[in-house]
Amino acid sequence: MLIEATLLVKDPEIIKGLLDGSMKRYGSVIRWAAGTFKAGQIVRHLAETPGLTSKLMTVPFDPIVAGIDVIGHALNYHKLIGVDHKLIGIDSKLIGIDSKLIGIDSKLIGFEKTLSSVMGLSQIAAAASVLNLGISIAGFAYMGSKLNQVQKTLGHIHQSMEEGFNRVKAGLNRIDNRLDIISEQLAYLYLLVEDSHQKQKSLAKAISNLHQAMLIKEITALKAELDDRSRFPDESPRSAIKTASRVGLFLSNQAMQATPELDAEIMLNADVSIQGWAVAIATEANLLLEIGKHQEAKELLALQIPQFKQVAERWGKALINDENTYLSTAYRFTNSRFKNHIASERVERITEISPSDRTLSPDQIRRKKNYVDVEFEMSYSSAKFDQTWTHRQIAVAEYLDGLSELLARLEGLESFANLCESKGVKSSREILPGDGAEPGIYILPST
């Protein structure tokens, strides 16, 4: 490697920044947080090892029903990336630095603080899991696996809807136990149609049609290329690049044609198109970087990312908009009624694709939240904002979170392309952890 990559957990400065909030993970990069002197600037790039990527295929991140801590799966995830809770609690003996020196009181942080939470991964968007966290070429196998999960999920949902839902008796935690079999993908569909048998039948038919549609055909073609690439990594990537380009063009067209609306069928078709589009972009760009065509990769991303962002913001604007002006904000998800289901990290991601929320000052944000809280305290709120309404809002939050995270990761890939070009490497492989690297998440220099 021309650039020495370091395990994230072995860098006390980055850990400190993530813990005290001065740094934030944004897609596949660490940036200085808003309010800091260098706000928005990249601190480091993130990359996964091949070993970690393969293991992550078996670790699900439940977007809704497991709550904001994702306790069971998160523990497995921490073990995979080599993080001990004491390390994240800033144990001076483990990281070889005095806690007073870095200005963090372990009692304030708590030993339950985990790397997934400080990196904003404890409630990672299900849709975004089609892309690996970093930009490792080994992530192709992971992306292929996740596309396969989406296909399996559609089949499971179709079967469940044909059989009929179990009615929700009380609380989100009692939602139909069939959620356990859908690979933690597309769970928002259940929440959108749980109140109507007719909607369930309609969506079941739509899923059946989708299986036979061009969308699935294109995604299957891309998955086949990803699988082939993972098996024969030293072969010429020309065929895979061509397929990724063709699939990306088709799916981007489908995604841009969709009119944003809080409708399960429309959202499902758009979601499948958008996820496939994101994978196609990442695949083509990564392959170009692998063979040293940095400029071509940059041109591709410079063209595709603004289009992707436009689609994400259109959905953000449409789904956040509400007839009640006080609730027409992503900050409505911060109300206490959502505290067990929507983490603050998810709200932050959603604001990134909400033009009306993204530029608010701290004072304006506080006022927005106050208006939201007052509205939910009104006498008519219990009848107007019932359980069905709440569930639909949780579904909206998951959907928009996925779009935001996908956009962030594609923008991180664009930054990585700039890094490859600035270093003049012949292949992106030269600055990524190799096959023999210790499994984990690595940090790369920003320049």
Side-chain angles (χ1 to χ4, degrees):
M1 293 182 290
L2 298 181
I3 298 176
E4 183 178 357
T6 306
L7 272 170
L8 174 60
V9 295
K10 293 183 179 180
D11 192 311
E13 182 181 358
I14 300 297
I15 294 295
K16 173 186 178 296
L18 291 171
L19 285 168
D20 65 22
S22 61
M23 298 178 189
K24 295 285 186 181
R25 180 194 66 84
Y26 183 79
S28 57
V29 298
I30 302 293
R31 295 183 183 273
W32 289 104
T36 61
F37 179 69
K38 299 180 180 179
Q41 293 187 29
I42 295 176
V43 180
R44 295 292 177 89
H45 295 264
L46 298 173
E48 294 172 359
T49 58
L52 176 65
T53 300
S54 62
K55 289 181 179 179
L56 283 177
M57 293 182 201
T58 64
V59 180
F61 289 92
D62 193 330
I64 293 181
V65 295
I68 64 174
D69 294 325
V70 199
I71 296 174
H73 301 323
L75 290 177
N76 291 331
Y77 182 73
H78 306 330
K79 292 178 181 178
L80 290 178
I81 60 178
V83 179
D84 186 277
H85 68 281
K86 292 183 178 179
L87 172 59
I88 303 308
I90 306 300
D91 186 310
S92 60
K93 293 181 181 179
L94 285 175
I95 62 175
I97 191 167
D98 193 304
S99 60
K100 294 181 180 179
L101 177 61
I102 61 176
I104 297 182
D105 188 322
S106 61
K107 292 181 180 179
L108 293 177
I109 297 169
F111 288 117
E112 296 305 315
K113 197 73 173 180
T114 60
L115 188 58
S116 71
S117 62
V118 297
M119 289 182 69
L121 294 172
S122 65
Q123 197 181 49
I124 198 67
S129 65
V130 297
L131 290 181
N132 57 321
L133 174 64
I135 31 64
S136 170
I137 205 75
F140 290 157
Y142 183 55
M143 288 188 282
S145 170
K146 287 303 180 182
L147 285 179
N148 186 54
Q149 282 193 12
V150 172
Q151 288 181 263
K152 287 170 57 181
T153 294
L154 292 174
H156 286 317
I157 293 178
H158 184 206
Q159 179 181 358
S160 294
M161 289 181 173
E162 287 292 334
E163 295 172 356
F165 283 144
N166 293 331
R167 300 305 300 169
V168 177
K169 294 182 178 180
L172 186 59
N173 290 331
R174 297 184 186 178
I175 282 183
D176 186 359
N177 58 16
R178 291 185 181 88
L179 283 171
D180 293 336
I181 66 171
I182 66 171
S183 304
E184 286 70 45
Q185 300 279 345
L186 313 179
Y188 63 86
L189 293 174
Y190 276 79
L191 302 183
L192 290 176
V193 301
E194 64 177 347
D195 62 323
S196 170
H197 180 66
Q198 186 59 42
K199 289 180 182 178
Q200 294 166 23
K201 291 175 60 178
S202 178
L203 185 56
K205 182 179 179 181
I207 293 172
S208 180
N209 292 337
L210 185 59
H211 271 295
Q212 305 169 29
M214 290 295 291
L215 288 178
I216 294 299
K217 179 181 178 180
E218 294 298 318
I219 286 180
T220 300
L222 179 57
K223 180 184 179 298
E225 287 290 351
L226 290 171
D227 290 343
D228 183 73
R229 189 64 189 161
S230 66
R231 295 188 186 103
F232 307 102
D234 297 323
E235 296 293 323
S236 170
R238 289 187 60 182
S239 175
I241 291 174
K242 182 178 180 180
T243 299
S245 179
R246 174 177 61 79
V247 172
L249 287 172
F250 175 80
L251 294 178
S252 65
N253 179 265
Q254 296 298 304
M256 288 187 283
Q257 284 186 11
T259 301
E261 186 178 339
L262 189 59
D263 176 86
E265 293 180 39
I266 293 175
M267 291 171 69
L268 169 63
N269 282 278
D271 198 11
V272 173
S273 298
I274 290 170
Q275 290 191 48
W277 180 19
V279 173
I281 295 171
T283 299
E284 186 177 359
N286 267 312
L287 289 172
L288 289 170
L289 292 173
E290 183 185 351
I291 59 177
K293 293 188 175 295
H294 310 135
Q295 189 58 39
E296 288 84 348
K298 289 177 59 178
E299 290 173 358
L300 167 70
L301 294 168
L303 173 65
Q304 294 288 310
I305 291 176
Q307 295 177 355
F308 195 95
K309 183 176 184 179
Q310 184 180 42
V311 169
E313 290 186 345
R314 281 174 54 212
W315 277 98
K317 181 179 180 180
L319 297 187
I320 290 173
N321 185 50
D322 192 274
E323 60 181 12
N324 186 320
T325 56
Y326 294 124
L327 300 183
S328 290
T329 172
Y331 291 106
R332 69 173 179 254
F333 302 127
T334 63
N335 184 261
S336 59
R337 66 173 53 216
F338 300 115
K339 67 179 180 179
N340 292 325
H341 312 297
I342 302 178
S344 58
E345 66 191 48
R346 174 160 283 180
V347 179
E348 290 180 15
R349 284 194 290 264
I350 295 172
T351 61
E352 291 294 331
I353 59 170
S354 172
S356 61
D357 290 311
R358 188 171 56 231
T359 59
L360 295 177
S361 68
D363 284 341
Q364 290 173 319
I365 293 173
R366 279 193 289 272
R367 285 199 292 271
K368 286 275 187 182
K369 291 181 178 179
N370 287 336
Y371 290 145
V372 167
D373 291 341
V374 169
E375 189 63 22
F376 284 132
E377 290 172 0
M378 300 298 287
S379 58
Y380 53 75
S381 66
S382 59
K384 187 174 183 179
F385 308 120
D386 57 11
Q387 187 181 68
T388 297
W389 182 90
T390 300
H391 287 179
R392 290 172 71 84
Q393 294 306 305
I394 296 171
V396 167
E398 184 204 340
Y399 194 85
L400 295 181
D401 184 12
L403 295 179
S404 180
E405 180 67 19
L406 285 174
L407 174 61
R409 295 188 185 188
L410 290 174
E411 291 179 340
L413 180 55
E414 186 174 34
S415 298
F416 180 69
N418 291 329
L419 176 64
C420 289
E421 184 178 53
S422 68
K423 293 298 177 182
V425 296
K426 295 181 180 180
S427 171
S428 57
R429 291 186 180 186
E430 297 178 23
I431 56 176
L432 292 170
D435 292 341
E438 180 183 349
I441 297 177
Y442 283 73
I443 53 175
L444 307 174
S446 58
T447 57

